[in-house]
Amino acid sequence: WIGLLLLISIATGAAIAAGGTAFSALIVDLTTEQERPRVLSVVWGMRLLGVLLGTVLVNQLFGAACGTEAGGDAVVAGLERLIVVTPLLLFGLGVSSVFGLERRDVQDQAVEDQGGIDNSRAVPESLSLLQSLGRLRSIPQVGRFTAVLCLFTFSMFLNDAVLESFGAAVFGMSICATTALNAFLAIGFFVGLGLSGFRLVDWIGNVSTARLGAVFAAIALALMLLSAPSQSLPFLHFALTIFGISLGICIHSSFTLMFTFVQPGRVGLLLGVWGALYAYSRGLATISGGGLLTLFETLNGGDVFGAYGGVFCLQIVGFLAAAVLMRRLDVTGFRRGMQSRFGNFMQSALD
């Protein structure tokens, strides 16, 4: 059964990644570079609305399991109801949301706007995926952006697997109370998305916005740690809201940067590479968060707060290091390098 669950999880992740890459490419096709930050804010806002609705759904389906004295049987019953209801709901939402979204006339118009040349097919078939990746790696800005994206993403999600357990272990919260912590994150996330997509990117640019979000995230994590000694839930909720705002800024700016580091004709390739790096960095962060928590707790003799503090402090260091590395990103240099590495192939295809 564990093996079957593993296969199902892999299939689910592959489907989400494939659909997400195609949807991201569609956003590039249907928006201009000036419109994209606002569109991404709306898309991520809709995702976070799903988190809020999911929190309500979990509380409704778990029922008696939300009590502080709930037994294991009540929790299992709640999980069974959740597993029965959510797949059907998600399938219906998924199909209805993308049905008829991409129309043939939109594709034809995009080709006409490019002077009748379909750039997506301009690269000759002799240039294989491995050759494309090899030429991509030779561009200095690709390596810098890869390092920043991976470190930035790793820092954002290092506490993904330990945040709810932090509320339970340090503050003594119930399972539904810890789940409700996501609501504070989501509210802050909405605010951060709006600030980043509709104000900050226009005012100070993508890179500066990402750096600002990283600094605010480090401050919010420090506030979360400071709320533990006093056992102040309002202080914790405030810190989580600030962290949600910073995450909204960070995630939006990192995705905007991903969309910035693309070129016509290679949108699918580049978004696939950036998306894979983002996904693996996020997965590694989630796994590492739980593993590091256990490691720190073992090393410090079972000090629970010290273990969580170690994870959060490492996360703070990651955010600050990413903010420093972002100073070396150069979108113009990346695009110049892309033209230099792929220009000959593009010209031969057009000839």
Side-chain angles (χ1 to χ4, degrees):
W1 287 113
I2 293 176
L4 179 60
L5 179 62
L6 178 63
L7 291 176
I8 292 174
S9 300
I10 292 174
T12 302
I16 292 174
T21 301
F23 187 73
S24 297
L26 186 62
I27 290 176
V28 173
D29 290 338
L30 298 180
T31 61
T32 65
E33 194 164 347
Q34 290 72 29
E35 296 170 337
R36 215 160 288 148
R38 293 177 173 82
V39 172
L40 289 175
S41 290
V42 174
V43 170
W44 273 96
M46 294 168 70
R47 291 186 64 173
L48 263 293
L49 180 61
V51 172
L52 290 174
L53 296 177
T55 300
V56 175
L57 180 64
V58 168
N59 282 306
Q60 292 295 321
L61 293 178
F62 266 67
C66 287
T68 55
E69 303 297 330
D73 293 339
V75 175
V76 171
L79 285 172
E80 289 175 348
R81 288 192 294 270
L82 190 68
I83 291 172
V84 169
V85 172
T86 52
L88 296 175
L89 177 63
L90 295 178
F91 179 77
L93 289 173
V95 172
S96 62
S97 64
V98 300
F99 185 76
L101 183 63
E102 186 175 22
R103 302 185 305 277
R104 185 67 191 176
D105 59 332
V106 173
Q107 295 174 322
D108 294 340
Q109 183 63 41
V111 173
E112 293 176 5
D113 291 342
Q114 295 167 5
I117 300 174
D118 187 356
N119 286 333
S120 63
R121 299 178 182 176
V123 180
E125 295 182 359
S126 59
L127 189 62
S128 66
L129 175 62
L130 292 179
Q131 288 175 316
S132 298
L133 293 176
R135 290 183 173 273
L136 198 60
R137 289 177 56 191
S138 65
I139 303 173
Q141 286 296 323
V142 171
R144 295 171 188 173
F145 179 66
T146 297
V148 169
L149 177 64
C150 291
L151 180 58
F152 200 33
T153 305
F154 183 84
S155 302
M156 283 190 286
F157 296 101
L158 187 59
N159 67 354
D160 206 27
V162 303
L163 181 59
E164 292 187 22
S165 63
F166 175 71
V170 178
F171 290 86
M173 295 181 177
S174 66
I175 183 173
C176 289
T178 56
T179 302
L181 293 177
N182 291 314
F184 292 96
L185 281 176
I187 292 172
F189 204 104
F190 275 120
V191 176
L193 286 175
L195 286 174
S196 180
F198 291 89
R199 287 293 181 267
L200 294 178
V201 172
D202 291 336
W203 287 350
I204 60 178
N206 289 332
V207 175
S208 296
T209 300
R211 296 181 65 201
L212 180 66
V215 173
F216 268 104
I219 294 173
L221 288 168
L223 292 177
M224 271 192 268
L225 289 176
L226 292 175
S227 69
S230 62
Q231 292 288 291
S232 174
L233 287 179
F235 193 14
L236 175 63
H237 294 160
F238 171 75
L240 281 171
T241 304
I242 298 300
F243 187 61
I245 294 174
S246 64
L247 276 185
I249 296 173
C250 289
I251 291 180
H252 176 270
S253 57
S254 66
F255 268 79
T256 305
L257 281 173
M258 288 169 60
F259 280 76
T260 302
F261 277 79
V262 296
Q263 279 287 93
R266 288 166 291 276
V267 171
L269 170 67
L270 293 172
L271 287 179
V273 172
W274 306 149
L277 292 172
Y278 174 86
Y280 281 114
S281 299
R282 180 173 182 172
L284 179 62
T286 302
I287 296 173
S288 300
L292 288 170
L293 179 65
T294 303
L295 176 63
F296 289 145
E297 191 171 357
T298 302
L299 293 177
N300 63 21
D303 183 3
V304 176
F305 176 71
Y308 284 100
V311 175
F312 287 178
C313 287
L314 184 61
Q315 196 173 6
I316 290 172
V317 172
F319 273 121
L320 297 179
V324 172
L325 289 175
M326 282 178 194
R327 298 180 61 182
R328 302 187 62 192
L329 293 182
D330 179 13
V331 177
T332 303
F334 164 79
R335 291 177 175 172
R336 186 165 51 247
M338 288 289 291
Q339 291 292 338
S340 174
R341 298 298 189 278
F342 289 88
N344 294 334
F345 288 94
M346 293 289 291
Q347 188 61 44
S348 63
L350 296 176
D351 292 341

